[in-house]
Amino acid sequence: MMEEVIRVRNLFKKYGNITAVDGISFDVRKGEIFAMLGPNGAGKTTTVEILECVRKPTSGEISVLGEDIGSKEGANRIKRKIGVLPQDFNALGRLTVRENLEFFAGIYDKHLSISELLDMLGLQEKEKERFDKLSGGLQQRVGLAAAFINDPDLVFLDEPTTGLDPEIRRATWHFIREMKARGKTIFLTTHYMEEAEQLSDRIAIIVKGKIAALDTPSNLISSYGGSKSLVFKNAGEAAFGTLRRFFETARMDGNDVILPIENPRDIQIALNALFEMGLNFEMEVKSPNIEYVFLKLTGYRIKETGEVE
Ligand code: ATP
């Protein structure tokens, strides 16, 4: 049996009439990267903040690192043992990067080497710069360093790459993987499909306060992802109209036309129909990914901003 670091049973959180978390149960295992994936307002931050002992649940049984979050002493012990990157991380603006990390390190009995953290996050050259003079991406990296400063076994990262450009996002993923390799358990919330798919051992898809599915990315894809698809790049409305005569499942994505391959013969039928029209297009085969799973389970997509459409 794998050790549970977090155990949640029937967690509810209500704000007046709003049910933000609607009876969820799950476990997080030692050493895994566990992601909660869902659109804005799904209840992710509420759940994490309850696990971090900064909000109280309306009801439910929850233990973190073997401590009951309902007891005051338990909650205090949890707070000292975990690491947190909140969604709205802030530091002392007038202090330098290193001074900030020294300040955070001083709060705890033990801490990781500041130089090593700066090095892992590519912040060595910025260590003497004032926090308030840094770009958003660099500030966020200081936040990551701060989340790991007390050498915690369990770290909560709430939307760690929101608003970052793709290169910095990838560097952040690399850092998170390195921390996992050191045996840390990481609880991640995100609305980026790719982030959840690339990083996580298991993903809980959360929609309107409920867990719609929870499994490894590959199991989610094989259970809910459906078939491979043909993508006709830039084929446009005319191609869509033609394919739609044969296939109800054809759909448009921007100017691309997407056709799920339910039967190998579909490929031949589709190509014949398009060639007969004399259309020009490029084609590729796309395997299902977490985005397909999400679409299947919820009927909608998450935009870059985290809103749904
Ligand atoms: P986001 O990605 O925007 O952070 P989320 O999935 O983390 O979204 P929550 O922030 O947990 O979602 O919000 C869940 C629901 O609870 C939303 O409808 C939100 O408006 C509501 N909510 C959150 N905090 C409060 C609060 N303090 N008072 C009232 N309602 C709240």
Side-chain angles (χ1 to χ4, degrees), residues 183-209:
K184 314 240 171 259
T185 306
I186 291 165
F187 190 109
L188 171 77
T189 67
T190 185
H191 57 249
Y192 294 117
M193 307 280 178
E194 198 195 350
E195 179 159 286
E197 188 171 341
Q198 292 276 326
L199 276 184
S200 322
D201 295 295
R202 293 188 306 143
I203 303 176
I205 294 183
I206 179 162
V207 184
K208 294 186 185 139

Side-chain angles (χ1 to χ4, degrees), residues 126-170:
K126 305 283 174 188
E127 67 169 290
K128 294 200 174 79
E129 283 194 28
R130 269 171 59 157
F131 181 79
D132 59 5
K133 299 278 188 271
L134 300 176
S135 67
L138 288 170
Q139 289 191 344
Q140 183 269 1
R141 273 191 260 177
V142 177
L144 269 177
F148 286 90
I149 195 89
N150 55 330
D151 197 16
D153 293 330
L154 170 64
V155 184
F156 294 93
L157 305 175
D158 197 357
E159 310 222 349
T161 67
T162 293
L164 298 184
D165 66 45
E167 198 183 326
I168 301 181
R169 183 171 295 159
R170 280 175 192 282

